Structure formats: C-alpha cells, structure tokens
Amino acid sequence: RLVIIVDDFGEFAGQLLNDFLATDPAVTFAILPDLRHSRTVMERAAETGRETILHIPMEPLNYPRNDPGPNAIMVEQSDREIMRRMEGYLRQLPLVAGANNHMGSLATTDERVMRAVLTVIEKHGLYFVDSKTTNLSVAYDVAQAMLLPSVQRDLFLDQPNSSEETMQERLSQLRQMKENKKDVVVITHCFDKQRLEILNRFISEAKKIGYQLVPVSELFDLDLPGIL
C-alpha cells in the first residue's frame, strides 16, 4: 500500500486548491492551523470524502531563519503550554483524522515535547505520522511506546526539488521497496501546479508498479496493538 500526504495547506484557496482537490481521493491533505483558508480546506476536503490531518507547526533546528509560525510548538514551552496549543489547533480543525509535523527538526528530537504533543493526539483518538524532517527524530518511537497508531515518512517526492529527475528516483526507490516493505509513506507539498502535475504522474506510475493508494487511516485497520 502507498500513502501520499500533501503538506502545508491553508494559505490559499481558489483554483490551485480546486486542482489539488481533483487529484486521487486517497491522497491525504495536511493542513496548517492559523492560516486564512485552513478551515476552508478542511471543509472542502471533507465534502469530497478526503482524509485530512493537522500539520503541527514545530520548532526547527535553524530557527528563526526557518520560522514555523507565531503559534508553533517550541522546545522551551512547558508541557501545559504545548498541550494548550495543540488543543487550540484541533478546535480550529475538528474534522482531522490524524496529525504530522511541520518542520520540527528540533522539536521532534525532544522526547518530553513529543510526549506532550502525542498525549493530546491520543486524547482525541487520532493517529500520528512522523514526517521525519531529521534522522534524529524520536517522534515515531515515542508514539509507538504510547501504543498510538503511528507511521513514519519514507520518501519526499519534492526534495531536493520537484522535478522529473527526482520523481524518477522516487519511482526507482518504490520498486526496490516493493520487495521488502508492505507500506510506503510519501510526502510532498501544495506550493504550485508543477508539484501537482508531478504528483499525478507519480500516482499513475506507482499504480502500474502495483501499489494501492490509500489514506493514512487504512494503514491501521489491522495493525493496531492488541490487548496485552
């Protein structure tokens, strides 16, 4: 099975959003809180039966050069403040099925911070995707220890760039993974029409390889921890 998450929705609506909404309905949209169109994206996605997740703004290593936003999760915050912010995000986006991190190459390395974040996710019955913006992330391990439905990103479709060459490299990796990995999680971003065109071609080629595209939640239907 193949999961594709498109990150960073919320800044725009209009034709570009319409175009992304027309892509394969199994693609999952990750929505940032506190943006002009965050709720609009959530509602329009829900109308079409598309799964959405909260894209949690979190502190990166190179802050403030890279800024996750004015209301982000930062490592100096107390557990109480982190949980307050998480609750605020979810009040804005009540229809999400899960969450993943936006930036967070520092925050996701801090076990205390992640435990506070994941406690709120657990309370709301959501799943968690570690976007793995750093190899030092402990987010997935903490989620697993808490018995949360969780998974981590395998590939970025648009890193180091959104190009034909990068797409072909990712397809090559998909072919290799098919031999020994049941599920693959791919992340891309919603910045422009070029990324959408690459995404649509990638989906078509992945299906030819033999992958079934599913929303994130389908990964957990049979894989939830049993009662010990």
Side-chain angles (χ1 to χ4, degrees):
R1 295 176 296 190
L2 174 66
V3 159
I4 298 178
I5 300 168
V6 182
D7 279 355
D8 291 350
F9 280 100
E11 186 59 47
F12 64 85
Q15 189 56 49
L16 187 56
L17 176 58
N18 292 340
D19 292 341
F20 270 99
L21 284 166
T23 195
D24 193 298
V27 172
T28 302
F29 285 10
I31 308 170
L32 284 159
D34 298 315
L35 297 181
R36 289 180 299 168
H37 300 291
S38 300
R39 191 173 181 91
T40 297
V41 176
M42 176 193 70
E43 290 171 347
R44 294 201 56 204
E47 286 168 5
T48 61
R50 184 182 301 279
E51 195 159 294
T52 58
I53 61 177
L54 167 66
H55 198 35
I56 311 166
M58 304 182 84
E59 183 175 359
L61 279 165
N62 50 0
Y63 178 80
R65 187 163 62 87
N66 277 354
D67 189 350
N71 190 33
I73 304 295
M74 310 294 279
V75 295
E76 79 274 4
Q77 292 163 358
S78 67
D79 290 8
R80 183 175 179 179
E81 177 61 17
I82 290 169
M83 294 168 76
R84 187 190 71 80
R85 292 188 183 210
M86 284 292 298
E87 292 285 1
Y89 304 154
L90 292 171
R91 277 195 299 275
Q92 294 177 48
L93 299 169
L95 302 181
V96 297
N100 72 340
N101 55 290
H102 170 65
M103 299 191 182
S105 53
L106 180 60
T108 58
T109 67
D110 189 310
E111 183 174 344
R112 178 195 67 84
V113 169
M114 287 313 307
R115 192 165 290 278
V117 166
L118 293 168
T119 295
V120 178
I121 289 173
E122 180 180 43
K123 173 187 168 186
H124 287 267
L126 308 178
Y127 60 74
F128 178 70
V129 179
D130 183 357
S131 302
K132 216 154 191 308
T133 54
T134 171
N135 287 331
L136 300 177
S137 173
V138 299
Y140 175 71
D141 291 338
V142 174
Q144 287 281 290
M146 294 172 66
L147 302 183
L148 263 177
S150 50
V151 70
Q152 52 190 341
R153 187 265 314 159
D154 296 297
L155 302 172
F156 277 122
L157 182 56
D158 57 353
Q159 299 293 332
N161 53 47
S162 180
S163 67
E164 177 73 21
E165 181 181 10
T166 300
M167 182 185 72
Q168 293 300 333
E169 288 176 4
R170 300 298 167 263
L171 288 169
S172 177
Q173 290 170 296
L174 269 192
R175 292 184 185 95
Q176 294 168 19
M177 289 178 173
K178 195 166 184 289
E179 303 305 314
N180 52 27
K181 199 172 191 306
K182 185 175 74 169
D183 301 319
V184 178
V185 178
V186 176
I187 292 180
T188 187
H189 297 81
C190 67
F191 301 142
D192 50 47
K193 189 73 176 285
Q194 178 187 350
R195 280 177 170 78
L196 176 58
E197 290 169 356
I198 291 283
L199 169 63
N200 285 332
R201 290 173 50 218
F202 179 79
I203 291 170
S204 176
E205 293 301 316
K207 288 180 177 178
K208 290 177 187 175
I209 294 170
Y211 281 90
Q212 176 193 5
L213 186 62
V214 298
V216 184
S217 60
E218 287 201 21
L219 298 186
F220 308 119
D221 285 351
L222 301 175
D223 296 334
L224 288 174
I227 297 172
L228 300 179

